[in-house]
PDB file of all heavy atoms in Angstrom:
ATOM      1  N   GLN P   1     -38.365  71.007  -5.633  1.00  0.00           N
ATOM      2  CA  GLN P   1     -37.122  70.481  -5.059  1.00  0.00           C
ATOM      3  C   GLN P   1     -37.135  70.519  -3.543  1.00  0.00           C
ATOM      4  O   GLN P   1     -36.495  69.724  -2.893  1.00  0.00           O
ATOM      5  CB  GLN P   1     -35.919  71.291  -5.561  1.00  0.00           C
ATOM      6  CG  GLN P   1     -35.584  71.012  -6.999  1.00  0.00           C
ATOM      7  CD  GLN P   1     -34.416  71.867  -7.456  1.00  0.00           C
ATOM      8  OE1 GLN P   1     -34.083  72.867  -6.818  1.00  0.00           O
ATOM      9  NE2 GLN P   1     -33.803  71.489  -8.554  1.00  0.00           N
ATOM     10  N   HIS P   2     -37.835  71.412  -2.957  1.00  0.00           N
ATOM     11  CA  HIS P   2     -37.829  71.573  -1.498  1.00  0.00           C
ATOM     12  C   HIS P   2     -39.121  71.092  -0.882  1.00  0.00           C
ATOM     13  O   HIS P   2     -39.581  71.633   0.097  1.00  0.00           O
ATOM     14  CB  HIS P   2     -37.596  73.041  -1.130  1.00  0.00           C
ATOM     15  CG  HIS P   2     -36.248  73.545  -1.565  1.00  0.00           C
ATOM     16  ND1 HIS P   2     -35.084  73.002  -1.109  1.00  0.00           N
ATOM     17  CD2 HIS P   2     -35.892  74.528  -2.425  1.00  0.00           C
ATOM     18  CE1 HIS P   2     -34.048  73.622  -1.665  1.00  0.00           C
ATOM     19  NE2 HIS P   2     -34.525  74.552  -2.478  1.00  0.00           N
ATOM     20  N   SER P   3     -39.703  70.025  -1.410  1.00  0.00           N
ATOM     21  CA  SER P   3     -40.980  69.564  -0.880  1.00  0.00           C
ATOM     22  C   SER P   3     -40.816  68.877   0.469  1.00  0.00           C
ATOM     23  O   SER P   3     -41.728  68.858   1.266  1.00  0.00           O
ATOM     24  CB  SER P   3     -41.659  68.618  -1.876  1.00  0.00           C
ATOM     25  OG  SER P   3     -40.795  67.521  -2.130  1.00  0.00           O
ATOM     26  N   GLY P   4     -39.621  68.328   0.771  1.00  0.00           N
ATOM     27  CA  GLY P   4     -39.391  67.683   2.064  1.00  0.00           C
ATOM     28  C   GLY P   4     -38.803  68.679   3.041  1.00  0.00           C
ATOM     29  O   GLY P   4     -38.503  69.819   2.688  1.00  0.00           O
ATOM     30  N   PRO P   5     -38.648  68.245   4.301  1.00  0.00           N
ATOM     31  CA  PRO P   5     -38.049  69.156   5.286  1.00  0.00           C
ATOM     32  C   PRO P   5     -36.592  69.435   4.916  1.00  0.00           C
ATOM     33  O   PRO P   5     -35.848  68.540   4.541  1.00  0.00           O
ATOM     34  CB  PRO P   5     -38.140  68.385   6.614  1.00  0.00           C
ATOM     35  CG  PRO P   5     -38.372  66.965   6.236  1.00  0.00           C
ATOM     36  CD  PRO P   5     -38.990  66.962   4.861  1.00  0.00           C
ATOM     37  N   ALA P   6     -36.227  70.665   5.005  1.00  0.00           N
ATOM     38  CA  ALA P   6     -34.872  71.074   4.636  1.00  0.00           C
ATOM     39  C   ALA P   6     -33.971  71.078   5.857  1.00  0.00           C
ATOM     40  O   ALA P   6     -34.365  71.526   6.927  1.00  0.00           O
ATOM     41  CB  ALA P   6     -34.900  72.471   4.011  1.00  0.00           C
ATOM     42  N   ALA P   7     -32.777  70.564   5.685  1.00  0.00           N
ATOM     43  CA  ALA P   7     -31.796  70.593   6.767  1.00  0.00           C
ATOM     44  C   ALA P   7     -31.028  71.899   6.672  1.00  0.00           C
ATOM     45  O   ALA P   7     -30.723  72.374   5.589  1.00  0.00           O
ATOM     46  CB  ALA P   7     -30.834  69.417   6.628  1.00  0.00           C
ATOM     47  N   PRO P   8     -30.728  72.489   7.809  1.00  0.00           N
ATOM     48  CA  PRO P   8     -29.942  73.719   7.764  1.00  0.00           C
ATOM     49  C   PRO P   8     -28.563  73.431   7.183  1.00  0.00           C
ATOM     50  O   PRO P   8     -28.020  72.356   7.372  1.00  0.00           O
ATOM     51  CB  PRO P   8     -29.856  74.167   9.228  1.00  0.00           C
ATOM     52  CG  PRO P   8     -30.262  72.992  10.039  1.00  0.00           C
ATOM     53  CD  PRO P   8     -31.060  72.096   9.158  1.00  0.00           C
ATOM     54  N   PRO P   9     -27.971  74.372   6.479  1.00  0.00           N
ATOM     55  CA  PRO P   9     -26.670  74.145   5.843  1.00  0.00           C
ATOM     56  C   PRO P   9     -25.594  73.706   6.817  1.00  0.00           C
ATOM     57  O   PRO P   9     -24.736  72.912   6.482  1.00  0.00           O
ATOM     58  CB  PRO P   9     -26.324  75.493   5.227  1.00  0.00           C
ATOM     59  CG  PRO P   9     -27.595  76.256   5.154  1.00  0.00           C
ATOM     60  CD  PRO P   9     -28.496  75.690   6.199  1.00  0.00           C
ATOM     61  N   ALA P  10     -25.606  74.191   8.033  1.00  0.00           N
ATOM     62  CA  ALA P  10     -24.567  73.825   8.998  1.00  0.00           C
ATOM     63  C   ALA P  10     -24.622  72.343   9.338  1.00  0.00           C
ATOM     64  O   ALA P  10     -23.608  71.726   9.624  1.00  0.00           O
ATOM     65  CB  ALA P  10     -24.705  74.664  10.260  1.00  0.00           C
ATOM     66  N   ALA P  11     -25.821  71.754   9.321  1.00  0.00           N
ATOM     67  CA  ALA P  11     -25.956  70.348   9.669  1.00  0.00           C
ATOM     68  C   ALA P  11     -25.452  69.445   8.543  1.00  0.00           C
ATOM     69  O   ALA P  11     -25.095  68.306   8.772  1.00  0.00           O
ATOM     70  CB  ALA P  11     -27.405  70.018   9.980  1.00  0.00           C
ATOM     71  N   GLN P  12     -25.435  69.965   7.334  1.00  0.00           N
ATOM     72  CA  GLN P  12     -25.006  69.158   6.209  1.00  0.00           C
ATOM     73  C   GLN P  12     -23.495  69.043   6.132  1.00  0.00           C
ATOM     74  O   GLN P  12     -22.970  68.027   5.732  1.00  0.00           O
ATOM     75  CB  GLN P  12     -25.540  69.752   4.900  1.00  0.00           C
ATOM     76  CG  GLN P  12     -27.045  69.647   4.784  1.00  0.00           C
ATOM     77  CD  GLN P  12     -27.561  70.366   3.537  1.00  0.00           C
ATOM     78  OE1 GLN P  12     -26.811  71.043   2.859  1.00  0.00           O
ATOM     79  NE2 GLN P  12     -28.840  70.221   3.278  1.00  0.00           N
ATOM     80  N   GLU P  13     -22.798  70.068   6.504  1.00  0.00           N
ATOM     81  CA  GLU P  13     -21.343  70.052   6.365  1.00  0.00           C
ATOM     82  C   GLU P  13     -20.700  70.769   7.543  1.00  0.00           C
ATOM     83  O   GLU P  13     -20.872  71.960   7.719  1.00  0.00           O
ATOM     84  CB  GLU P  13     -20.957  70.740   5.061  1.00  0.00           C
ATOM     85  CG  GLU P  13     -19.499  70.585   4.729  1.00  0.00           C
ATOM     86  CD  GLU P  13     -19.171  71.184   3.372  1.00  0.00           C
ATOM     87  OE1 GLU P  13     -20.007  71.088   2.460  1.00  0.00           O
ATOM     88  OE2 GLU P  13     -18.086  71.761   3.262  1.00  0.00           O
ATOM     89  N   GLN P  14     -19.993  70.009   8.378  1.00  0.00           N
ATOM     90  CA  GLN P  14     -19.298  70.579   9.524  1.00  0.00           C
ATOM     91  C   GLN P  14     -17.828  70.721   9.178  1.00  0.00           C
ATOM     92  O   GLN P  14     -17.193  69.741   8.797  1.00  0.00           O
ATOM     93  CB  GLN P  14     -19.438  69.671  10.755  1.00  0.00           C
ATOM     94  CG  GLN P  14     -20.828  69.623  11.336  1.00  0.00           C
ATOM     95  CD  GLN P  14     -21.157  70.903  12.082  1.00  0.00           C
ATOM     96  OE1 GLN P  14     -20.277  71.578  12.583  1.00  0.00           O
ATOM     97  NE2 GLN P  14     -22.416  71.238  12.149  1.00  0.00           N
ATOM     98  N   PRO P  15     -17.264  71.882   9.302  1.00  0.00           N
ATOM     99  CA  PRO P  15     -15.831  72.007   9.046  1.00  0.00           C
ATOM    100  C   PRO P  15     -15.051  71.293  10.141  1.00  0.00           C
ATOM    101  O   PRO P  15     -15.462  71.261  11.288  1.00  0.00           O
ATOM    102  CB  PRO P  15     -15.584  73.516   9.091  1.00  0.00           C
ATOM    103  CG  PRO P  15     -16.704  74.066   9.899  1.00  0.00           C
ATOM    104  CD  PRO P  15     -17.872  73.140   9.673  1.00  0.00           C
ATOM    105  N   GLU P  16     -13.927  70.685   9.766  1.00  0.00           N
ATOM    106  CA  GLU P  16     -13.088  70.028  10.765  1.00  0.00           C
ATOM    107  C   GLU P  16     -12.414  71.073  11.624  1.00  0.00           C
ATOM    108  O   GLU P  16     -11.909  72.064  11.124  1.00  0.00           O
ATOM    109  CB  GLU P  16     -12.027  69.170  10.081  1.00  0.00           C
ATOM    110  CG  GLU P  16     -12.580  67.894   9.533  1.00  0.00           C
ATOM    111  CD  GLU P  16     -11.468  66.964   9.096  1.00  0.00           C
ATOM    112  OE1 GLU P  16     -10.424  66.908   9.779  1.00  0.00           O
ATOM    113  OE2 GLU P  16     -11.660  66.304   8.080  1.00  0.00           O
ATOM    114  N   ARG P  17     -12.443  70.821  12.910  1.00  0.00           N
ATOM    115  CA  ARG P  17     -11.770  71.732  13.833  1.00  0.00           C
ATOM    116  C   ARG P  17     -10.586  70.997  14.427  1.00  0.00           C
ATOM    117  O   ARG P  17     -10.746  69.950  15.040  1.00  0.00           O
ATOM    118  CB  ARG P  17     -12.725  72.140  14.957  1.00  0.00           C
ATOM    119  CG  ARG P  17     -13.867  72.978  14.481  1.00  0.00           C
ATOM    120  CD  ARG P  17     -14.733  73.401  15.640  1.00  0.00           C
ATOM    121  NE  ARG P  17     -16.080  73.578  15.151  1.00  0.00           N
ATOM    122  CZ  ARG P  17     -17.172  73.399  15.854  1.00  0.00           C
ATOM    123  NH1 ARG P  17     -17.082  73.046  17.107  1.00  0.00           N
ATOM    124  NH2 ARG P  17     -18.348  73.581  15.330  1.00  0.00           N
ATOM    125  N   PRO P  18      -9.399  71.517  14.265  1.00  0.00           N
ATOM    126  CA  PRO P  18      -8.237  70.832  14.854  1.00  0.00           C
ATOM    127  C   PRO P  18      -8.281  70.923  16.370  1.00  0.00           C
ATOM    128  O   PRO P  18      -8.797  71.882  16.941  1.00  0.00           O
ATOM    129  CB  PRO P  18      -7.042  71.603  14.287  1.00  0.00           C
ATOM    130  CG  PRO P  18      -7.586  72.929  13.880  1.00  0.00           C
ATOM    131  CD  PRO P  18      -9.044  72.714  13.547  1.00  0.00           C
ATOM    132  N   LEU P  19      -7.760  69.881  17.011  1.00  0.00           N
ATOM    133  CA  LEU P  19      -7.676  69.880  18.468  1.00  0.00           C
ATOM    134  C   LEU P  19      -6.558  70.822  18.897  1.00  0.00           C
ATOM    135  O   LEU P  19      -5.523  70.905  18.239  1.00  0.00           O
ATOM    136  CB  LEU P  19      -7.368  68.471  18.984  1.00  0.00           C
ATOM    137  CG  LEU P  19      -8.453  67.425  18.765  1.00  0.00           C
ATOM    138  CD1 LEU P  19      -7.928  66.062  19.178  1.00  0.00           C
ATOM    139  CD2 LEU P  19      -9.700  67.764  19.536  1.00  0.00           C
ATOM    140  N   PRO P  20      -6.730  71.507  20.010  1.00  0.00           N
ATOM    141  CA  PRO P  20      -5.625  72.323  20.523  1.00  0.00           C
ATOM    142  C   PRO P  20      -4.424  71.425  20.822  1.00  0.00           C
ATOM    143  O   PRO P  20      -4.570  70.257  21.130  1.00  0.00           O
ATOM    144  CB  PRO P  20      -6.193  72.931  21.811  1.00  0.00           C
ATOM    145  CG  PRO P  20      -7.665  72.789  21.717  1.00  0.00           C
ATOM    146  CD  PRO P  20      -7.935  71.622  20.816  1.00  0.00           C
ATOM    147  N   ASP P  21      -3.234  71.990  20.735  1.00  0.00           N
ATOM    148  CA  ASP P  21      -2.005  71.217  20.915  1.00  0.00           C
ATOM    149  C   ASP P  21      -1.938  70.513  22.263  1.00  0.00           C
ATOM    150  O   ASP P  21      -1.339  69.455  22.383  1.00  0.00           O
ATOM    151  CB  ASP P  21      -0.788  72.119  20.760  1.00  0.00           C
ATOM    152  CG  ASP P  21      -0.623  72.582  19.322  1.00  0.00           C
ATOM    153  OD1 ASP P  21      -1.196  71.960  18.411  1.00  0.00           O
ATOM    154  OD2 ASP P  21       0.081  73.580  19.124  1.00  0.00           O
ATOM    155  N   ASP P  22      -2.553  71.064  23.292  1.00  0.00           N
ATOM    156  CA  ASP P  22      -2.436  70.469  24.624  1.00  0.00           C
ATOM    157  C   ASP P  22      -3.558  69.483  24.946  1.00  0.00           C
ATOM    158  O   ASP P  22      -3.624  68.955  26.033  1.00  0.00           O
ATOM    159  CB  ASP P  22      -2.374  71.563  25.691  1.00  0.00           C
ATOM    160  CG  ASP P  22      -3.610  72.462  25.678  1.00  0.00           C
ATOM    161  OD1 ASP P  22      -4.452  72.324  24.771  1.00  0.00           O
ATOM    162  OD2 ASP P  22      -3.728  73.308  26.579  1.00  0.00           O
ATOM    163  N   THR P  23      -4.447  69.191  23.989  1.00  0.00           N
ATOM    164  CA  THR P  23      -5.527  68.250  24.229  1.00  0.00           C
ATOM    165  C   THR P  23      -5.007  66.836  24.031  1.00  0.00           C
ATOM    166  O   THR P  23      -4.565  66.484  22.938  1.00  0.00           O
ATOM    167  CB  THR P  23      -6.694  68.498  23.255  1.00  0.00           C
ATOM    168  OG1 THR P  23      -7.149  69.833  23.420  1.00  0.00           O
ATOM    169  CG2 THR P  23      -7.833  67.531  23.521  1.00  0.00           C
ATOM    170  N   PRO P  24      -5.039  65.993  25.089  1.00  0.00           N
ATOM    171  CA  PRO P  24      -4.554  64.628  24.935  1.00  0.00           C
ATOM    172  C   PRO P  24      -5.536  63.798  24.100  1.00  0.00           C
ATOM    173  O   PRO P  24      -6.748  63.999  24.180  1.00  0.00           O
ATOM    174  CB  PRO P  24      -4.474  64.112  26.371  1.00  0.00           C
ATOM    175  CG  PRO P  24      -5.458  64.937  27.127  1.00  0.00           C
ATOM    176  CD  PRO P  24      -5.500  66.274  26.437  1.00  0.00           C
ATOM    177  N   LEU P  25      -5.007  62.896  23.307  1.00  0.00           N
ATOM    178  CA  LEU P  25      -5.851  61.990  22.556  1.00  0.00           C
ATOM    179  C   LEU P  25      -6.397  60.935  23.501  1.00  0.00           C
ATOM    180  O   LEU P  25      -5.736  60.568  24.473  1.00  0.00           O
ATOM    181  CB  LEU P  25      -5.047  61.329  21.432  1.00  0.00           C
ATOM    182  CG  LEU P  25      -4.533  62.287  20.364  1.00  0.00           C
ATOM    183  CD1 LEU P  25      -3.632  61.541  19.391  1.00  0.00           C
ATOM    184  CD2 LEU P  25      -5.681  62.934  19.623  1.00  0.00           C
ATOM    185  N   PRO P  26      -7.589  60.412  23.237  1.00  0.00           N
ATOM    186  CA  PRO P  26      -8.126  59.386  24.125  1.00  0.00           C
ATOM    187  C   PRO P  26      -7.265  58.125  24.063  1.00  0.00           C
ATOM    188  O   PRO P  26      -6.748  57.784  23.012  1.00  0.00           O
ATOM    189  CB  PRO P  26      -9.528  59.127  23.569  1.00  0.00           C
ATOM    190  CG  PRO P  26      -9.506  59.659  22.182  1.00  0.00           C
ATOM    191  CD  PRO P  26      -8.472  60.738  22.140  1.00  0.00           C
ATOM    192  N   GLU P  27      -7.110  57.476  25.212  1.00  0.00           N
ATOM    193  CA  GLU P  27      -6.302  56.263  25.264  1.00  0.00           C
ATOM    194  C   GLU P  27      -7.158  55.070  24.905  1.00  0.00           C
ATOM    195  O   GLU P  27      -8.298  54.953  25.333  1.00  0.00           O
ATOM    196  CB  GLU P  27      -5.731  56.066  26.671  1.00  0.00           C
ATOM    197  CG  GLU P  27      -4.733  54.939  26.738  1.00  0.00           C
ATOM    198  CD  GLU P  27      -4.020  54.896  28.069  1.00  0.00           C
ATOM    199  OE1 GLU P  27      -3.548  55.942  28.525  1.00  0.00           O
ATOM    200  OE2 GLU P  27      -3.934  53.806  28.634  1.00  0.00           O
ATOM    201  N   ILE P  28      -6.608  54.181  24.121  1.00  0.00           N
ATOM    202  CA  ILE P  28      -7.297  52.950  23.758  1.00  0.00           C
ATOM    203  C   ILE P  28      -7.178  52.005  24.936  1.00  0.00           C
ATOM    204  O   ILE P  28      -6.066  51.794  25.446  1.00  0.00           O
ATOM    205  CB  ILE P  28      -6.677  52.334  22.499  1.00  0.00           C
ATOM    206  CG1 ILE P  28      -6.817  53.307  21.339  1.00  0.00           C
ATOM    207  CG2 ILE P  28      -7.327  50.993  22.170  1.00  0.00           C
ATOM    208  CD1 ILE P  28      -6.023  52.927  20.126  1.00  0.00           C
ATOM    209  N   PRO P  29      -8.318  51.420  25.394  1.00  0.00           N
ATOM    210  CA  PRO P  29      -8.228  50.516  26.534  1.00  0.00           C
ATOM    211  C   PRO P  29      -7.241  49.395  26.274  1.00  0.00           C
ATOM    212  O   PRO P  29      -7.205  48.814  25.201  1.00  0.00           O
ATOM    213  CB  PRO P  29      -9.643  49.959  26.667  1.00  0.00           C
ATOM    214  CG  PRO P  29     -10.496  50.951  25.982  1.00  0.00           C
ATOM    215  CD  PRO P  29      -9.660  51.573  24.902  1.00  0.00           C
ATOM    216  N   GLY P  30      -6.434  49.106  27.283  1.00  0.00           N
ATOM    217  CA  GLY P  30      -5.485  48.020  27.158  1.00  0.00           C
ATOM    218  C   GLY P  30      -4.152  48.426  26.587  1.00  0.00           C
ATOM    219  O   GLY P  30      -3.314  47.584  26.318  1.00  0.00           O
ATOM    220  N   THR P  31      -3.932  49.707  26.360  1.00  0.00           N
ATOM    221  CA  THR P  31      -2.646  50.143  25.849  1.00  0.00           C
ATOM    222  C   THR P  31      -1.998  51.074  26.854  1.00  0.00           C
ATOM    223  O   THR P  31      -2.635  51.563  27.761  1.00  0.00           O
ATOM    224  CB  THR P  31      -2.780  50.872  24.496  1.00  0.00           C
ATOM    225  OG1 THR P  31      -3.574  52.041  24.688  1.00  0.00           O
ATOM    226  CG2 THR P  31      -3.394  49.978  23.442  1.00  0.00           C
ATOM    227  N   GLY P  32      -0.724  51.326  26.660  1.00  0.00           N
ATOM    228  CA  GLY P  32      -0.003  52.190  27.584  1.00  0.00           C
ATOM    229  C   GLY P  32       0.660  51.366  28.661  1.00  0.00           C
ATOM    230  O   GLY P  32       0.407  50.178  28.821  1.00  0.00           O
ATOM    231  N   VAL P  33       1.536  51.991  29.396  1.00  0.00           N
ATOM    232  CA  VAL P  33       2.255  51.321  30.471  1.00  0.00           C
ATOM    233  C   VAL P  33       1.355  51.256  31.702  1.00  0.00           C
ATOM    234  O   VAL P  33       0.725  52.247  32.073  1.00  0.00           O
ATOM    235  CB  VAL P  33       3.563  52.072  30.795  1.00  0.00           C
ATOM    236  CG1 VAL P  33       4.255  51.479  32.000  1.00  0.00           C
ATOM    237  CG2 VAL P  33       4.479  52.068  29.580  1.00  0.00           C
ATOM    238  N   LEU P  34       1.301  50.081  32.290  1.00  0.00           N
ATOM    239  CA  LEU P  34       0.532  49.896  33.527  1.00  0.00           C
ATOM    240  C   LEU P  34       1.492  49.483  34.625  1.00  0.00           C
ATOM    241  O   LEU P  34       2.386  48.659  34.411  1.00  0.00           O
ATOM    242  CB  LEU P  34      -0.534  48.812  33.336  1.00  0.00           C
ATOM    243  CG  LEU P  34      -1.617  49.096  32.292  1.00  0.00           C
ATOM    244  CD1 LEU P  34      -2.493  47.867  32.092  1.00  0.00           C
ATOM    245  CD2 LEU P  34      -2.448  50.297  32.698  1.00  0.00           C
ATOM    246  N   ARG P  35       1.269  50.068  35.812  1.00  0.00           N
ATOM    247  CA  ARG P  35       2.134  49.741  36.947  1.00  0.00           C
ATOM    248  C   ARG P  35       1.306  49.778  38.222  1.00  0.00           C
ATOM    249  O   ARG P  35       0.158  50.197  38.219  1.00  0.00           O
ATOM    250  CB  ARG P  35       3.318  50.689  37.028  1.00  0.00           C
ATOM    251  CG  ARG P  35       2.945  52.141  37.121  1.00  0.00           C
ATOM    252  CD  ARG P  35       4.153  53.082  37.226  1.00  0.00           C
ATOM    253  NE  ARG P  35       5.314  52.665  36.513  1.00  0.00           N
ATOM    254  CZ  ARG P  35       5.727  53.157  35.343  1.00  0.00           C
ATOM    255  NH1 ARG P  35       5.046  54.112  34.768  1.00  0.00           N
ATOM    256  NH2 ARG P  35       6.819  52.722  34.775  1.00  0.00           N
ATOM    257  N   GLU P  36       1.945  49.350  39.291  1.00  0.00           N
ATOM    258  CA  GLU P  36       1.264  49.288  40.588  1.00  0.00           C
ATOM    259  C   GLU P  36       0.635  50.645  40.911  1.00  0.00           C
ATOM    260  O   GLU P  36       1.256  51.689  40.738  1.00  0.00           O
ATOM    261  CB  GLU P  36       2.251  48.886  41.688  1.00  0.00           C
ATOM    262  CG  GLU P  36       1.578  48.505  42.971  1.00  0.00           C
ATOM    263  CD  GLU P  36       2.487  47.779  43.951  1.00  0.00           C
ATOM    264  OE1 GLU P  36       3.690  47.598  43.656  1.00  0.00           O
ATOM    265  OE2 GLU P  36       1.986  47.391  45.004  1.00  0.00           O
ATOM    266  N   GLY P  37      -0.620  50.597  41.340  1.00  0.00           N
ATOM    267  CA  GLY P  37      -1.371  51.807  41.658  1.00  0.00           C
ATOM    268  C   GLY P  37      -2.357  52.182  40.568  1.00  0.00           C
ATOM    269  O   GLY P  37      -3.294  52.934  40.814  1.00  0.00           O
ATOM    270  N   ASP P  38      -2.160  51.659  39.340  1.00  0.00           N
ATOM    271  CA  ASP P  38      -3.083  51.950  38.245  1.00  0.00           C
ATOM    272  C   ASP P  38      -4.368  51.139  38.416  1.00  0.00           C
ATOM    273  O   ASP P  38      -4.395  50.126  39.124  1.00  0.00           O
ATOM    274  CB  ASP P  38      -2.457  51.610  36.891  1.00  0.00           C
ATOM    275  CG  ASP P  38      -1.358  52.588  36.495  1.00  0.00           C
ATOM    276  OD1 ASP P  38      -1.317  53.693  37.064  1.00  0.00           O
ATOM    277  OD2 ASP P  38      -0.546  52.235  35.624  1.00  0.00           O
ATOM    278  N   SER P  39      -5.399  51.585  37.746  1.00  0.00           N
ATOM    279  CA  SER P  39      -6.664  50.848  37.760  1.00  0.00           C
ATOM    280  C   SER P  39      -7.404  51.134  36.464  1.00  0.00           C
ATOM    281  O   SER P  39      -7.083  52.064  35.738  1.00  0.00           O
ATOM    282  CB  SER P  39      -7.515  51.252  38.970  1.00  0.00           C
ATOM    283  OG  SER P  39      -7.845  52.622  38.889  1.00  0.00           O
ATOM    284  N   GLY P  40      -8.390  50.299  36.198  1.00  0.00           N
ATOM    285  CA  GLY P  40      -9.215  50.514  35.025  1.00  0.00           C
ATOM    286  C   GLY P  40      -9.297  49.293  34.133  1.00  0.00           C
ATOM    287  O   GLY P  40      -8.862  48.190  34.487  1.00  0.00           O
ATOM    288  N   HIS P  41      -9.852  49.523  32.941  1.00  0.00           N
ATOM    289  CA  HIS P  41     -10.117  48.430  32.003  1.00  0.00           C
ATOM    290  C   HIS P  41      -8.832  47.726  31.552  1.00  0.00           C
ATOM    291  O   HIS P  41      -8.805  46.506  31.412  1.00  0.00           O
ATOM    292  CB  HIS P  41     -10.888  48.957  30.796  1.00  0.00           C
ATOM    293  CG  HIS P  41     -11.269  47.887  29.831  1.00  0.00           C
ATOM    294  ND1 HIS P  41     -12.288  47.003  30.093  1.00  0.00           N
ATOM    295  CD2 HIS P  41     -10.746  47.543  28.625  1.00  0.00           C
ATOM    296  CE1 HIS P  41     -12.381  46.158  29.078  1.00  0.00           C
ATOM    297  NE2 HIS P  41     -11.464  46.468  28.170  1.00  0.00           N
ATOM    298  N   GLY P  42      -7.783  48.481  31.337  1.00  0.00           N
ATOM    299  CA  GLY P  42      -6.523  47.878  30.914  1.00  0.00           C
ATOM    300  C   GLY P  42      -5.982  46.909  31.946  1.00  0.00           C
ATOM    301  O   GLY P  42      -5.461  45.840  31.602  1.00  0.00           O
ATOM    302  N   VAL P  43      -6.111  47.243  33.222  1.00  0.00           N
ATOM    303  CA  VAL P  43      -5.649  46.353  34.292  1.00  0.00           C
ATOM    304  C   VAL P  43      -6.541  45.117  34.357  1.00  0.00           C
ATOM    305  O   VAL P  43      -6.064  43.991  34.535  1.00  0.00           O
ATOM    306  CB  VAL P  43      -5.616  47.085  35.653  1.00  0.00           C
ATOM    307  CG1 VAL P  43      -5.192  46.135  36.766  1.00  0.00           C
ATOM    308  CG2 VAL P  43      -4.703  48.291  35.594  1.00  0.00           C
ATOM    309  N   TYR P  44      -7.830  45.308  34.167  1.00  0.00           N
ATOM    310  CA  TYR P  44      -8.766  44.196  34.124  1.00  0.00           C
ATOM    311  C   TYR P  44      -8.347  43.198  33.038  1.00  0.00           C
ATOM    312  O   TYR P  44      -8.270  41.993  33.276  1.00  0.00           O
ATOM    313  CB  TYR P  44     -10.181  44.730  33.871  1.00  0.00           C
ATOM    314  CG  TYR P  44     -11.228  43.671  33.677  1.00  0.00           C
ATOM    315  CD1 TYR P  44     -11.929  43.164  34.759  1.00  0.00           C
ATOM    316  CD2 TYR P  44     -11.520  43.186  32.406  1.00  0.00           C
ATOM    317  CE1 TYR P  44     -12.894  42.180  34.575  1.00  0.00           C
ATOM    318  CE2 TYR P  44     -12.480  42.218  32.215  1.00  0.00           C
ATOM    319  CZ  TYR P  44     -13.165  41.715  33.300  1.00  0.00           C
ATOM    320  OH  TYR P  44     -14.114  40.748  33.115  1.00  0.00           O
ATOM    321  N   GLU P  45      -8.072  43.707  31.834  1.00  0.00           N
ATOM    322  CA  GLU P  45      -7.638  42.854  30.723  1.00  0.00           C
ATOM    323  C   GLU P  45      -6.333  42.138  31.059  1.00  0.00           C
ATOM    324  O   GLU P  45      -6.163  40.960  30.738  1.00  0.00           O
ATOM    325  CB  GLU P  45      -7.458  43.687  29.448  1.00  0.00           C
ATOM    326  CG  GLU P  45      -8.743  44.225  28.873  1.00  0.00           C
ATOM    327  CD  GLU P  45      -9.642  43.150  28.293  1.00  0.00           C
ATOM    328  OE1 GLU P  45      -9.117  42.125  27.783  1.00  0.00           O
ATOM    329  OE2 GLU P  45     -10.866  43.315  28.348  1.00  0.00           O
ATOM    330  N   LEU P  46      -5.413  42.836  31.689  1.00  0.00           N
ATOM    331  CA  LEU P  46      -4.148  42.232  32.111  1.00  0.00           C
ATOM    332  C   LEU P  46      -4.408  41.077  33.075  1.00  0.00           C
ATOM    333  O   LEU P  46      -3.845  39.990  32.930  1.00  0.00           O
ATOM    334  CB  LEU P  46      -3.253  43.290  32.763  1.00  0.00           C
ATOM    335  CG  LEU P  46      -2.016  42.789  33.507  1.00  0.00           C
ATOM    336  CD1 LEU P  46      -1.080  42.013  32.587  1.00  0.00           C
ATOM    337  CD2 LEU P  46      -1.295  43.960  34.161  1.00  0.00           C
ATOM    338  N   GLN P  47      -5.265  41.289  34.058  1.00  0.00           N
ATOM    339  CA  GLN P  47      -5.569  40.249  35.040  1.00  0.00           C
ATOM    340  C   GLN P  47      -6.169  39.012  34.370  1.00  0.00           C
ATOM    341  O   GLN P  47      -5.804  37.877  34.699  1.00  0.00           O
ATOM    342  CB  GLN P  47      -6.518  40.793  36.107  1.00  0.00           C
ATOM    343  CG  GLN P  47      -5.866  41.825  36.996  1.00  0.00           C
ATOM    344  CD  GLN P  47      -6.869  42.562  37.872  1.00  0.00           C
ATOM    345  OE1 GLN P  47      -8.004  42.819  37.469  1.00  0.00           O
ATOM    346  NE2 GLN P  47      -6.440  42.921  39.076  1.00  0.00           N
TER     347      GLN P  47
END
């Protein structure tokens, strides 16, 4: 059964780790409020 290279057990199954409450979720480009002074991909799409 173990004739091939064995993967360590940790690599097979990673437990989900919840994000801390103060960790912001990543923003999807092109979403959110944009106003004068902002920059980035969302402003590019707006233009």
Side-chain angles (χ1 to χ4, degrees):
Q1 287 178 342
H2 296 299
S3 58
Q12 292 174 352
E13 189 175 324
Q14 290 286 333
E16 284 190 38
R17 293 183 209 150
L19 294 173
D21 291 341
D22 59 353
T23 302
L25 296 174
E27 188 171 312
I28 299 169
T31 62
V33 174
L34 297 173
R35 57 179 34 103
E36 193 165 2
D38 288 341
S39 62
H41 184 75
V43 178
Y44 175 90
E45 292 291 329
L46 168 60
Q47 291 169 325

